[in-house]
Amino acid sequence: MKYLTLLFSTFTLLSVIESYITSSSNSTDKYKGIIYNRKVVKEKYFVAPKYKLATCTVHKSFSSMLTSILCYLDMEKVFLKNFDHLADFTFKFKTCVYKKNNFLGSFGNLIKIHGKSNEVSFLKTWKVIMVVRNPIERFISGFVHLCYTHKVRNYKQFCLGCGKNFKCFVNKLYNILTSGYISAVHGYFQTKAHFYPQTMQCNYLKNKNKFAVLKFDPKNLDSFYKSLEEILIQQNVPREKVEYIDREIRTYRIKHSTTGKAKTIEFIEKFYKEKDILKKLIEIYYYDFKEFDFEIPNI
């Protein structure tokens, strides 16, 4: 029943989105995009060394659930004493999140510590997962969760002093990112992690060929889940654990997930009427659309 409810709410949200926007692969030429060839956002890697699995965290792109999976695989008994389901996990679970050598700040450290500085061997034996999603969907998820419905810690900084006003937020975000590298790199770290382009996360331009990139697509979740399952099997995760993970991610949702919720639908109805704001977001996320082959909205 819970799975059916999740499916219904997801399709409800998608139908709302599709009623406001269409896509076209021919609509790319009018956008310049924003990109820097240096690190802009701090990298965050979590690992399950036993299975030679790691992920680079891209917030609002299945990051909590994927980190939960790795924590479960790394310390199953401790994890299940603390949580009934994978979806109950939070980044406050310090036993895993801050376990020595579990949380690393660069791909170089990942190789140094878990690959004994042998990059060739590490890349042959480890899988480092990076999950990406449609950048507009990611923005909506982040803004609804962090600015539109909740007052998170450091709310003013997080939401650029704009509160629930997404037009104010997008304009400020655009100005920050188009004012040069120094402006971009000095942004508030949580805003950078949740709202900067995915091509600026994980030191992507430098590390792109080292990742197993999976696309989180609410319209095709089955394909995403199967791709994740294939990686787990490749890394010799026991079948019963893979089946448990698959069942959990298909049945339960992280509590702060925004998909299908009334506030999200309410926000979308306002958001897609603001074409100028949408154009600015497309420019902000242009290289996400191009690099990860997401269709650019035709406005």
Side-chain angles (χ1 to χ4, degrees):
M1 180 60 71
K2 287 186 178 180
Y3 180 46
L4 290 174
T5 302
L6 289 180
L7 279 176
F8 177 76
S9 60
T10 298
F11 285 123
T12 299
L13 176 61
L14 292 173
S15 65
V16 171
I17 291 174
E18 288 171 0
S19 70
Y20 281 96
I21 196 163
T22 57
S23 296
S24 169
S25 58
N26 297 319
S27 60
T28 62
D29 293 340
K30 55 189 174 183
Y31 301 105
K32 295 179 182 178
I34 304 163
I35 200 161
Y36 296 103
N37 60 5
R38 289 178 283 173
K39 185 190 292 190
V40 178
V41 183
K42 288 183 179 179
E43 299 164 75
K44 290 197 296 185
Y45 295 89
F46 294 96
V47 301
K50 182 178 180 180
Y51 301 108
K52 294 182 170 59
L53 277 166
T55 183
C56 180
T57 300
V58 179
H59 287 286
K60 308 313 297 181
S61 296
F62 201 70
S63 58
S64 294
M65 186 64 90
L66 189 51
T67 308
S68 175
I69 290 168
L70 295 187
C71 283
Y72 161 73
L73 291 174
D74 187 53
M75 46 176 61
E76 180 181 357
K77 289 182 180 178
V78 176
F79 186 95
L80 294 177
K81 280 183 180 179
N82 283 270
F83 305 112
D84 293 328
H85 299 286
L86 294 179
D88 296 335
F89 167 86
T90 76
F91 283 100
K92 294 177 182 178
F93 182 41
K94 295 181 180 180
T95 307
C96 173
V97 171
Y98 294 111
K99 180 182 174 183
K100 186 178 180 181
N101 296 333
N102 261 32
F103 174 30
L104 301 169
S106 73
F107 211 110
N109 281 342
L110 197 59
I111 293 170
K112 181 179 178 180
I113 292 169
H114 294 289
K116 298 180 180 178
S117 298
N118 187 329
E119 180 173 340
V120 174
S121 175
F122 178 87
L123 294 176
K124 281 183 179 179
T125 56
W126 278 68
K127 290 288 185 185
V128 184
I129 301 168
M130 179 181 179
V131 177
V132 298
R133 71 187 294 187
N134 179 290
I136 301 298
E137 291 177 8
R138 177 173 173 257
F139 171 81
I140 290 170
S141 176
F143 193 83
V144 170
H145 171 216
L146 301 165
C147 301
Y148 194 71
T149 60
H150 295 89
K151 283 199 172 182
V152 293
R153 184 183 296 179
N154 299 322
Y155 175 74
K156 201 166 187 177
Q157 287 176 287
F158 225 132
C159 303
L160 302 180
C162 294
K164 295 183 177 182
N165 188 333
F166 67 88
K167 290 185 280 186
C168 166
F169 182 91
V170 171
N171 283 323
K172 285 192 175 182
L173 182 65
Y174 181 85
N175 289 338
I176 289 168
L177 288 170
T178 56
S179 295
Y181 177 77
I182 298 300
S183 170
V185 81
H186 284 158
Y188 178 55
F189 78 101
Q190 290 283 25
T191 305
K192 289 162 62 177
H194 288 80
F195 294 106
Y196 277 27
Q198 292 160 108
T199 42
M200 291 185 190
Q201 311 291 330
C202 303
N203 205 2
Y204 178 77
L205 291 183
K206 179 180 178 181
N207 297 323
K208 60 186 289 185
N209 295 323
K210 302 169 186 174
F211 294 126
V213 177
L214 301 182
K215 292 171 72 171
F216 179 78
D217 181 1
K219 297 184 291 296
N220 193 9
L221 282 175
D222 188 60
S223 176
F224 170 74
Y225 294 147
K226 285 179 178 176
S227 296
L228 178 59
E229 183 179 339
E230 286 172 7
I231 289 176
L232 297 178
I233 291 169
Q234 287 171 14
Q235 296 306 106
N236 298 312
V237 176
R239 171 60 66 177
E240 65 272 15
K241 294 186 190 299
V242 175
E243 290 175 353
Y244 169 76
I245 290 167
D246 186 64
R247 187 167 61 251
E248 285 281 307
I249 61 179
R250 290 175 185 271
T251 308
Y252 301 98
R253 186 176 291 162
I254 291 285
K255 290 178 182 177
H256 62 250
S257 171
T258 58
T259 302
K261 292 183 177 177
K263 281 288 184 181
T264 307
I265 295 170
E266 173 189 290
F267 175 80
I268 286 170
E269 289 174 348
K270 298 175 183 178
F271 172 76
Y272 279 116
K273 293 175 182 176
E274 302 294 336
K275 303 302 182 185
D276 289 341
I277 293 300
L278 189 53
K279 286 177 183 177
K280 281 193 174 180
L281 277 178
I282 292 169
E283 191 151 334
I284 288 170
Y285 297 126
Y286 176 75
Y287 285 102
D288 282 5
F289 284 108
K290 296 290 284 183
E291 179 68 25
F292 304 120
D293 195 29
F294 291 109
E295 287 187 314
I296 294 178
N298 185 21
I299 302 172

